[in-house]
Amino acid sequence: MDKKVILSGIQSTGNLTLGNYLGAINNWKKMQEDYNCYYMIANLHTLTVRNDPETLRSNTLNLLALYLAAGINPEKSSIFIQSQVPSHAELSWVLNCYTYMGELSRMTQFKDKSAKHADNINSGLFTYPVLMAADILLYQADLVPVGEDQKQHVEITRDIAERFNKIYGETFKIPEPYILKTAARVMGLQNPNAKMSKSSTLENDSIFLTDEPEVILKKFKKSVTDSENIVRYDEENKPGISNLMEIYSAITGSTKEDIEKEFAGKGYGEFKTAVANCVIEELKPLQEKYKELKSNPDYLEKIYKEGAEKAYQVAHKTLEDVYKKIGMVWL
Ligand code: ATP
Ligand code: LTN
């Protein structure tokens, strides 16, 4: 039987965090064995906010190096940069004409981001989900692994695909969101009530995958907890400690009960150091590989060129089918 198809992506907005790692790419790595995977760098989506061109270019290549360093294997998966496969922008235009303003104005991310960037509410921000629908539908993806926050975008993708199929006959596979449970939401170290994110402006709130060991230790030591000094899971009343327990559990595989036992009678200082050390150890091979990859731009270029070619073969076939069905004169 053919393997199911997976497609996912991350915007190249900055340095990846431990949240992106535990909630996304570490799981992507595991899925490579059982699925036919497409992992994309969503650099066109990044344009919905203002970027310095040089920074965007280097963030894109850094993200590619991080995918590889985290164990996404180009022999097993297709790894590519969105802007290098023109079918994404092309299908996105077509799908725009099958998406209603009303649907797009209900998107939570649009509401959040337009509040955050009130000086730049551009139409790309509004039609962001349509480009995402094109990303997914071009590859006939069965499953889209994303965090809770992106579920609504997969749902609108399904609506657009169903609408199109109804008019023109079976064209797109209807995808399902695939929300992963382990470390689905790593919270900030300074504000454990909000998720850890690349663009957090709070100092010491996010662990970045390229942070040096001393920096990781310092950030964990400074993390906000409570005054009980008992390592105990209680998300509501002890969000800081509970978050550290989630992180420790995601990395070591220990259950919450194991952790409570392991640290019974020990203070937060000792626990924070243990969490920091397990994160440092987990990231060590990734960081070494990352440095090696960054010093080899020719290899990175080879990977993205091959990735784009492989992706284009599949994407172009879907676009051809769409163009023919809607009445474009095909070359
Ligand atoms: P930004 O700050 O630029 O919005 P982000 O760090 O929130 O970025 P995204 O680019 O929106 O990250 O998400 C990339 C992937 O990482 C998504 O699949 C998302 O669900 C996952 N992810 C992001 N933050 C976390 C987190 N704190 N915990 C678990 N998963 C996360
Ligand atoms: N919107 C997503 C990134 C993204 C994506 C996609 C995820 C762009 N295209 C296609 C899954 C499938 C985000 O911000 N995390």
Side-chain angles (χ1 to χ4, degrees), residues 10 13 19-20 23-24 146-147 149 183-186 195-199:
I10 299 184
T13 29
N20 300 129
V146 281
D149 57 319
R185 244 167 103 79
V186 175
K195 75 164 197 166
M196 183 181 285
S197 84
K198 297 187 220 110
S199 55

Side-chain angles (χ1 to χ4, degrees), residues 21 24 33 42 74 131-132 134 144 185 207 214 255 263-264 274 276 322 329:
Y21 175 76
E33 309 307 326
L131 177 58
M132 185 157 156
V144 184
R185 244 167 103 79
I207 299 285
E214 320 71 87
T255 63
F263 293 93
V322 168
V329 178

Side-chain angles (χ1 to χ4, degrees), residues 102-120:
E103 299 179 285
L104 291 172
S105 51
R106 283 194 290 275
M107 296 291 115
T108 326
Q109 180 177 296
F110 172 68
K111 292 187 214 161
D112 290 351
K113 292 224 167 162
S114 38
K116 231 165 131 183
H117 303 277
D119 55 335
N120 181 21

